[in-house]
Amino acid sequence: MALDYEESKQKIIEGLQKKSKTKSKFYFNDLAKILDAKPREAKKIVTQMINEGILEFWSSGSTSMYGLKGTGKQAGAEHENE
Amino acid sequence: MAKHETPLLDQLESGPWPSFVSDMKQEAEARAKNVNNVEYQIPSDVIEDLLGVLELSYKDGETHWKHGGIVGVFGYGGGVIGRYCDQPENFPGVAHFHTMRVNQPSGHFYTTEYLKQLCDLWEFRGSGLTNMHGSTGDIIFLGTFTPQLEEIFYEMTHKYDQDLGGSGSNLRTPSDCIGAARCEYACYDTQDLCTHLTLEYQDELHRPAFPYKFKFKFDGCPNCCVASIARADMSFIGTWKDDIQIDQEAVKGYVNGEFPPNGGAHAGRDWGAFDIQKEVVDRCPTQCMRYENGKLEINNRECTRCMHCINVMPRALRPGKQTGCSILVGAKAPILDGAQMSSLLLPFVEVNKENDYQEIKDVIESIWDWWMEEGKNRERLGELMKRQGFQKLLEVTGIDPIPQHVQEPRHNPYIFWKEEEVPGGFDRDIHEFRKHHQR
Amino acid sequence: MAFISSGYDPNNPMQDRITDIGPRNFEEFYPPVIKNNKGKWLYHEILQPGVLVHVSETGDEVYTVRVGGARLMSVSLIREICEIADKHCGGYIRWTTRNNVEFMVDSKDKVQPLIDDLQSRKFAGGSYKFPVGGTGAGITNIIHTQGWIHCHTPATDASGPVKSVMDEVFNDFQNMRLPAHLRISLACCLNMCGAVHCSDIAILGYHRKPPMIDHEYMDKMCEIPLAIAACPTAAIKPKKVEIDGKTVNSVEVNNSRCMFCGNCYTMCPGLPLADKEGDGIVLMVGGKVSNRLSAPKFSKVAVAFIPNEPPRWPKTAETIKKIVDTYAADARKYERLGEWAERIGWERFFEKCDLEFTHHLIDDFRDPAYYTWRQTTQFKF
């Protein structure tokens, strides 16, 4: 069954905010776990959240992570430069 | 007059090999002169500052770059690597120095018209320095400022019909050998398969949702010119099932010294006259050939298609006609638990354009489903295979075990039998047992 | 420097956005002789170092002149390549997987003028722009990573050592005297974003000091759990540290577990590890990717450490030259460097190449180590 977008979006936002004190970046699998969904289903939700500007990518070059847009300690430094 | 003195780098201008320092200096000068009145969108002295900061690294023995992880183009999780200088006051031209990976055309063929378009774009909106090409195969645009990233992407997609490549936890830009385009050894059309799968999996390439990076590489034959067996999570290596094609007249030509062995590759030294017995027959790893009465015979059933005899006598021998590819999986560089080569999964797959390579896609997708669910963060496919076992890989892909899958059978008898494999199952009645065995 | 818009609207990124179109199709870029003969090639021959002919069943021939080049390339140099390709090759050009450039012409009479043109072009500093070579049983271009020109975790430069080594072995780029082809690769740190682990000779940048810890700024710059999670050997733990009477959150590093990969620094700029004395080069030898004769092989560490010696890395270049010359003199025809070392035995390899064997060269990293020790009485004195 397809996931409901609005409901899933809230779950992810709440899930990430809960942990925001210690970290702002999460692996894709962490998001799939929050949704308790198969990776391919979770990806549809996450992609839409990226396209709406709620989530943003972070990349080490070799690994990618996701976070709520504008959060995190490096975000300030990098967005300042824009 | 150069902006920064570069006494150390200057020493890399001498010697015969093309000097990147000379090239950079030449480009710095061209930007300063700007004969075409380009409205440079990033500092015109970017290369001067790059030479300056590189000279500083040569003096310090340490890099002066910092990683940046957030910059990219909207909606894509890969294709841009963020980079900042840790001495921006001294080298403002490279305060930002992000790279963009541009998905190369398969086979690395270009028209000059197209290359010049890319050059114009990159001179205008970036440093004018590139890598031709990056390790994975992309065209690399080396160094621009954040505000230019979207502009470059917009122009590239709108004017030049060109997309970015991959980076991060996604499908990396697939790459291939020259293949049938200009190589007689190619057993399938590497360019077509590479491009087809690149287009098929654009979402996987641009929007990372894998545990880690994933690479496809396409080698047309077992010579493996793109090193797929060493560095691709899925290596597609051309092979054939039937007999090596022999032109006996041409074999004689080699024996009589009419043709240089190995396509002339050894012409730089006098190795003596070509000796087919010593150089081909005796070197054959399976000893499946003989040369008698002016005739070369191959016991094709015993041949393992190592390519040696074909490489030595390309005019006389050719791969068979029933061609396709072997699929091997799980290669990676050493980090972390040690390097892995790809392991053979499918000995022979038809590479069939007519059905859009469906058989190959089925294998790819069953592997991805497994790895996306079971792979730990930053675990390559090869490591998952080691952790869960080759049997698991066979199970998820629905492939039956065959002796070709192993170099040799296991060294220990610790087989984890499954209940359904043992007659009567695991459930037994201890009371029944005790009727015949005292405590 | 006025900002010129491409048409992109930052307030509305999705407007007219084009995505997921992939690369340009290769078919547009084939020269006619390639397009007409794809899949029909019968055989090839190397006519002289750097010059190949491929012959098709249609009777067509394509002549390829291969030239070396730095992977780092300016748009001016690419335009010069285009100018040459326009003049001689009908406006088509290609690169190889090892950073060489290939100029193709469809008849033999076009070859010499092309070679003359290429060989005549030099940089102001005196080096060739387009040296012809890189074919057959010789040394072709070095594939490499970024190094100090762009990377944030390199333990050495890339372009500098590559230039220095290629100058040293340049004769073997333009000659084909070796027993088989010999592939050199360089990766500027152990993460090997350019996979060098199956090369005849691999030049690998290596750090030897664990990261420094910028305690005062750790909690301001970094997300500590991410730095901890980034460590592949679990050497990093959280720790509270006192700075000027204030307790701050930071980490401690178990130095004996650190493998010097720099992954923590990628996640957290508060953990830099580059160091002038600590960093340098490891040489690995004997790898291959081809299935020819023997199975593909991993490269093995032959020299544990050579200090960085910018700008010319003389010790690295000399050591490689010595290995190449010893191999050239001693190996049999068709034998790759690794096959030669296995035939004569690694004990002989070290002796002949005049390389010191130290405890650093015995594997002690996890499971695969055991399989590299000697489990036989067969060895050479």
Side-chain angles (χ1 to χ4, degrees), chain B residues 308-320:
Chain B
H308 177 67
C309 59
I310 298 176
N311 287 330
V312 173
M313 303 189 291
R315 289 193 188 210
L317 303 179
R318 314 191 66 197

Side-chain angles (χ1 to χ4, degrees), chain C residues 47 85 105 144 153 162 176 200 222 228 236 256 284 331 335 353:
Chain C
L47 300 174
V105 293
H144 64 92
T153 59
V162 164
M176 303 189 291
D200 293 280
C222 304
I228 292 169
I236 305 178
S256 65
M284 302 175 73
E335 211 166 42
C353 293

Side-chain angles (χ1 to χ4, degrees), chain A residues 25 27-30 33 37-40 43 46-47 50-53 55-66 69 71 74-79 81-82, chain B residues 67-71 74-77 81 84 96 101 146-147 167-170 172 203-204 206-213 365 368-369 372-373 375-378:
Chain A
K25 301 181 191 79
Y27 287 108
F28 177 80
N29 274 350
D30 301 334
K33 248 176 243 154
K38 293 260 182 201
R40 284 185 197 280
K43 183 168 183 182
V46 169
T47 298
I50 290 273
N51 289 341
E52 289 180 10
L55 292 177
E56 71 181 354
F57 290 110
W58 184 89
S59 170
S60 76
S62 65
T63 321
S64 309
M65 302 180 89
Y66 293 79
K69 189 172 168 69
T71 61
Q74 282 175 34
E78 279 201 54
H79 284 301
N81 283 322
E82 275 175 13
Chain B
H67 182 67
I70 293 169
V71 293
F74 190 80
Y76 279 12
I81 309 289
Y84 301 93
H96 298 195
R101 297 185 180 178
T146 305
S167 63
S169 305
N170 58 14
R172 296 305 182 82
D203 187 52
E204 283 77 4
H206 296 303
R207 296 173 196 84
F210 287 153
Y212 204 15
K213 62 179 88 165
E365 286 165 29
W368 280 349
D369 282 343
M372 287 174 79
E373 285 222 8
K376 291 182 182 172
N377 295 327
R378 307 184 66 196

Side-chain angles (χ1 to χ4, degrees), chain B residues 109-167:
Chain B
F109 285 92
Y110 297 98
T111 55
T112 55
E113 182 199 1
Y114 171 71
L115 274 182
K116 286 183 231 171
Q117 288 169 345
L118 287 188
C119 288
D120 290 346
L121 170 63
W122 186 234
E123 171 180 59
F124 171 46
R125 296 196 178 275
S127 72
L129 289 179
T130 74
N131 290 144
M132 294 296 282
H133 298 79
S135 301
T136 301
D138 299 274
I139 303 162
I140 306 289
F141 282 174
L142 198 61
T144 192
F145 278 64
T146 305
Q148 291 303 317
L149 296 171
E150 289 288 359
E151 306 295 330
I152 292 166
F153 181 68
Y154 192 93
E155 265 186 59
M156 232 162 55
T157 50
H158 285 76
K159 279 165 96 174
Y160 306 127
D161 199 16
Q162 172 66 57
D163 207 338
L164 292 179
S167 63

